[in-house]
Amino acid sequence: MKKKLLFLMSFLLLFTSVYANGKKKMTLNINHIVFEKDFIVKNDRIHIPLRLVSENLGADVNWKGDTKEVEILNQGKKIVFYIDSKEYRIDDMVYTIDSPTFILDDTAYVPARALANAMNAKLEWNEKDFYCAINNGHEIDPSRDIDPIKDAKDLATINKIRKVTDLEGYLKDGVMRVEEVDDGKVYELFLKDYEKKNLSMRFIFDRNNNLEFYKFYYFPNEKYPFLEKHLSEEESRKLARDFMNLVGDKKRFLKESELNKYQKAYLPDAGTYVFYTKSGDVNVDASGGFVYAYSNS
């Protein structure tokens, strides 16, 4: 009985040591995004978290529990790793690897080299520093869809601005994306199948929902022509004042004598006017009759 107990304890110790002793922390750099993550040394091979790496390389990952498969959809290719198997598949081609894919603590681990090859990514491993870099050139879009509740205050201001600047309503049904940054939020309004540099809007709000920056990017053409209004300087000044009132900016415009040397030296494009405040400026397209830029820093 004693021998059986000793054998059982030895077996359990050997089994757990394969994982516990092989689990270490490393610096994992995926497309220049750095993580401090566990990796597993098993069968003399480095195993890395399959989902974390694949998704940050731009792929979609699906877990199929009934067949114990991890399916990766990457750039039109279907990659499948089989749990506890030394085989994986890319479309109809089957490949063999030295060490099987396995699950530990609800995370699937796969040999680093095999995953990099399957994802057409470059792999760099520094054993001395426990550093692994995997790069396939994919850039993750940091923006998200609009949340009507979370973004409500900013959206109300954006809608007011669009109505008095996008006079033809070209962006009325445009796509809106938002990126959350340290100091607030950055919004982009654009058409799905049209170059942003030719027709889009950009807005930056601080954490208190104050507009800090606005720019209307546009290039008139036959498909998207603009009205011709040809406002005078005084009419343009009034338009700029109305815009500032709209966004809650009560600062007055600087007089000519109050401008600094850079503001005095700046020559705006023909048909446009720039009106300065102590902390920013308002830019008016007099030929089209709308404000195309604003800053308040």
Side-chain angles (χ1 to χ4, degrees):
M1 180 66 182
K2 187 176 181 180
K3 289 183 178 180
K4 288 184 177 180
L5 181 60
L6 288 173
F7 174 78
L8 179 60
M9 291 177 64
S10 299
F11 175 78
L12 290 174
L13 181 61
L14 176 63
F15 179 80
T16 55
S17 67
V18 171
Y19 295 100
N21 293 339
K23 192 172 183 179
K24 302 178 181 179
K25 287 287 185 183
M26 73 169 170
T27 300
L28 183 58
N29 185 324
I30 313 172
N31 282 336
H32 309 298
I33 301 176
V34 179
F35 302 86
E36 294 295 328
K37 287 294 180 180
D38 291 328
F39 72 98
I40 308 293
V41 179
K42 187 180 178 185
N43 300 325
D44 294 326
R45 292 290 180 267
I46 301 299
H47 294 69
I48 55 179
L50 189 153
R51 179 180 290 275
L52 173 73
V53 175
S54 298
E55 289 183 340
N56 281 278
L57 290 175
D60 294 319
V61 180
N62 301 310
W63 163 247
K64 297 188 175 182
D66 54 340
T67 55
K68 292 188 176 180
E69 299 174 5
V70 183
E71 180 185 81
I72 304 170
L73 303 177
N74 180 52
Q75 298 180 358
K77 292 184 178 181
K78 183 177 180 180
I79 305 165
V80 180
F81 282 92
Y82 305 95
I83 301 302
D84 298 325
S85 171
K86 290 186 178 182
E87 290 186 344
Y88 72 95
R89 179 165 54 87
I90 302 179
D91 293 331
D92 296 327
M93 296 292 293
V94 177
Y95 299 84
T96 302
I97 47 182
D98 296 334
S99 184
T101 303
F102 62 89
I103 292 179
L104 181 63
D105 297 333
D106 295 324
T107 299
Y109 288 86
V110 65
R113 181 67 62 183
L115 183 57
N117 289 342
M119 297 287 292
N120 291 322
K122 293 181 180 180
L123 175 69
E124 176 188 346
W125 167 247
N126 186 317
E127 185 174 0
K128 180 181 177 181
D129 298 327
F130 291 120
Y131 174 87
C132 181
I134 302 178
N135 192 322
N136 69 347
H138 173 75
E139 294 184 6
I140 295 178
D141 183 359
S143 67
R144 60 168 172 79
D145 291 331
I146 294 299
D147 185 325
I149 298 177
K150 186 177 180 180
D151 304 320
K153 290 184 178 180
D154 296 341
L155 291 177
T157 300
I158 289 172
N159 192 45
K160 291 178 182 178
I161 293 173
R162 191 199 60 74
K163 286 182 178 179
V164 299
T165 55
D166 179 21
L167 301 178
E168 295 293 327
Y170 296 138
L171 293 169
K172 180 180 179 181
D173 299 316
V175 178
M176 179 86 77
R177 299 285 293 177
V178 58
E179 177 184 353
E180 298 196 35
V181 295
D182 291 339
D183 299 327
K185 298 177 185 177
V186 179
Y187 296 81
E188 277 194 310
L189 176 60
F190 55 93
L191 298 179
K192 186 176 181 180
D193 300 317
Y194 200 70
E195 286 192 81
K196 292 181 182 179
K197 67 178 182 179
N198 291 335
L199 187 58
S200 66
M201 289 183 176
R202 184 179 177 87
F203 309 84
I204 300 177
F205 289 84
D206 66 17
R207 290 187 174 276
N208 296 317
N209 307 108
N210 298 311
L211 182 69
E212 293 187 332
F213 176 86
Y214 148 79
K215 183 68 181 289
F216 189 178
Y217 301 91
Y218 64 95
F219 185 80
N221 55 45
E222 291 184 2
K223 185 175 182 180
Y224 298 109
F226 283 82
L227 296 174
E228 294 188 12
K229 290 196 172 184
H230 305 290
L231 302 181
S232 66
E233 182 175 356
E234 282 307 309
E235 289 172 326
S236 297
R237 183 185 298 273
K238 181 180 183 306
L239 188 66
R241 180 75 268 167
D242 291 343
F243 182 93
M244 291 181 65
N245 291 337
L246 182 71
V247 300
D249 188 343
K250 302 301 181 181
K251 291 186 289 296
R252 67 176 180 83
F253 294 133
L254 299 180
K255 298 177 182 178
E256 180 71 23
S257 60
E258 297 175 307
L259 300 181
N260 61 42
K261 62 179 181 179
Y262 301 106
Q263 292 168 338
K264 290 179 179 179
Y266 177 73
L267 295 176
D269 293 335
T272 68
Y273 294 99
V274 180
F275 302 99
Y276 296 100
T277 68
K278 285 187 176 181
S279 60
D281 55 67
V282 186
N283 297 254
V284 175
D285 185 326
S287 60
F290 58 89
V291 172
Y292 70 90
Y294 165 82
S295 68
N296 180 28
S297 55

